[in-house]
Each structure stands twice: as structure tokens, then as C-alpha cells.
Amino acid sequence: MERYWKVLRLFWGTAIAAELEYRLNFLVTALISLGGLVGSLFGLFLFYRTGYEFAGWSWEAALLVLGLFTVLQGFAATVLIPNLNKIVSQVQQGTLDFVLLKPISSQFWLSTRVISPWGLPDVLFGLVMIGYGGTRLGLGWADYALAILPLLFGALTLYSLWFMLGATSIWFVKIYNVTEVLRGLLEAGRFPIAAYPVAYRAFFTFVVPVAFLTTVPAQTMLNQGGRGWLLASALLAAVLMVVANRFWRFALRFYTSASS
């Protein structure tokens, strides 16, 4: 385990040093993130401007969900997208061979090799939104702390989905359209799951587990939903992590080396 921490520090240290060569990108990305945030807030405002509320979700509570979504969006832009989108190019160019020959887990290498600080503005804006909504609702530090575990489980769930999708590039090299479909489905996490009709709630809970990414952490923060949802979130994350690892090993059986 210590070896992996050393490798991770080396990976991220070199990646950040390389990215900081283009510091203007951070400002541009921050402005883009701010524009996206304004658009998201406006979309949510359209529902609430006439006094309408999603069942059991006030404006401030809905802001918590949107803030959590923005944090996860920043996490994806910082860690997931820079790494997992490169699996396709690794397969296309045959450089996956070199990854498989390294004396560390290929899944670890492919998942953590690069980090991009350009997703951090989303994380910051999301935390600000959570803080604002929580303050209006009278939440304390203990309430915020309650959401850490389900948010972590949500991040692991999101990672597992992305990684399994990236692994399919071994069979289907061009999966960019599928990636966009998944990203579009995950956009449903901007709103509480109660905002959708019953059929969609079932779909976004049991098929594409969007509810566990944002709604469950928000409910935990608000002391709603009980421990059952938290345990389900933990179980889902654990199962998907195992499935992602097994799926990757299964996919490698069909990988044809560039040197063969």
C-alpha cells in the first residue's frame, strides 16, 4: 500500500506541475464553471419561482443537491475524465501494453495517472452552494459531516461506472457517444429524485443509480431517509468497485497486444 501512495504522489506531482505551465487555463475554466453554475441555478429557479416545490424539498434543500452534483462534477473533471477517457487512446495506440507490463495494478495506473486541477472550480462552487443552502437551513458542522460518507460512496459509484464504460473500449474502440449518454443520464442528479415521475425515480435508483450520487447524501445531511439508504449506498459502492475490477480483468482476456 505504501508503494501505491508513493506512486500516486509521483503521478499527481508531475501532472500538476505540467498543468500549471498553463495557468491561464484555470481562470478560463473557472469562468466556464461559473457560467455553468449560473445556468444550473437558473434552471432550478424556474421550478421554484412560482412557489412550487419538489415533494419534501425546499429551495435551500434543492440547492444542497445541486451543490453536491457540482462537487461530483468537479471530481469527475479532476480525476475521472482525464484518466478514463485515455483508456480508449491506450487501446488504439497499443500503449496499453506498457501499462500491463508495469509492476503495479493496471487499473490503479489507468485510474490515477493524471490529475487535472481545472475541475477544482466546480468543487469550490459546489461547496459554496452547499454552505449557503445549509446555512439557510440552520445546519451545523455535524450535519455537513454526515454527508461525507455517502458522498464518498457516490464518488466511488461514479468512478466504477466510468471505469467499466472505459473498459468496453477493448471491444468497442469508439465509445465516446456512449460516454456522452452516461454523462447525460447523470445530469439527472442536478435535481432531487423526487422531482421525477415514479417510473423515472425507479430508473435513476435501480438502473442508473443517480439517486445515490446526490439525493442520498443530501438526505443524510438533512437527517432524512434513515440509515437504510446509507447502508444501501455503501453496499452499492462496494459491489460496483468489485464488479469494475472483475470486469476489467475479464476485458483484458480479449485484449490483443499491439506486438502480437
Side-chain angles (χ1 to χ4, degrees), residues 109-230:
W109 197 98
L110 292 168
S111 302
T112 62
R113 178 64 184 86
V114 179
I115 187 172
S116 173
W118 315 135
L120 295 180
D122 276 333
V123 175
L124 177 61
F125 293 147
L127 291 175
V128 169
M129 203 181 316
I130 292 170
Y132 173 78
T135 300
R136 294 290 300 271
L137 291 168
L139 300 183
W141 288 108
D143 299 308
Y144 293 123
L146 288 174
I148 293 177
L149 270 181
L151 183 60
L152 175 61
F153 296 146
L156 292 176
T157 296
L158 183 61
Y159 159 75
S160 300
L161 293 174
W162 271 99
F163 188 79
M164 285 189 285
L165 188 60
T168 62
S169 63
I170 289 181
W171 294 285
F172 314 105
V173 177
K174 296 181 179 180
I175 62 167
Y176 297 109
N177 291 336
V178 180
T179 302
E180 290 304 315
V181 170
L182 176 62
R183 186 178 299 180
L185 290 173
L186 295 177
E187 287 288 321
R190 292 180 184 273
F191 307 109
I193 201 67
Y196 301 99
V198 175
Y200 287 95
R201 293 181 203 176
F203 179 80
F204 288 129
T205 302
F206 302 108
V207 181
V208 181
V210 173
F212 292 95
L213 303 183
T214 55
T215 298
V216 171
Q219 286 178 327
T220 305
M221 195 184 304
L222 294 168
N223 292 297
Q224 300 174 358
R227 295 182 179 180
W229 283 108
L230 179 60

Side-chain angles (χ1 to χ4, degrees), residues 41-149:
L41 286 171
F42 180 72
L44 188 62
F45 171 75
L46 291 178
F47 288 102
Y48 282 86
R49 64 188 178 89
T50 59
Y52 171 82
E53 288 187 0
F54 299 134
W57 293 87
S58 64
W59 163 256
E60 291 79 9
L63 283 180
L64 296 181
V65 175
L66 183 57
L68 289 165
F69 173 84
T70 306
V71 169
L72 286 177
Q73 185 173 255
F75 164 71
T78 301
V79 180
L80 301 187
I81 295 175
N83 286 291
L84 302 185
N85 280 3
K86 289 186 177 180
I87 296 178
V88 178
S89 60
Q90 296 272 6
V91 174
Q92 286 179 327
Q93 299 169 13
T95 52
L96 183 59
D97 293 8
F98 301 109
V99 177
L100 298 177
L101 291 173
K102 297 183 184 300
I104 60 173
S105 165
S106 58
Q107 181 178 350
F108 173 82
W109 197 98
L110 292 168
S111 302
T112 62
R113 178 64 184 86
V114 179
I115 187 172
S116 173
W118 315 135
L120 295 180
D122 276 333
V123 175
L124 177 61
F125 293 147
L127 291 175
V128 169
M129 203 181 316
I130 292 170
Y132 173 78
T135 300
R136 294 290 300 271
L137 291 168
L139 300 183
W141 288 108
D143 299 308
Y144 293 123
L146 288 174
I148 293 177
L149 270 181

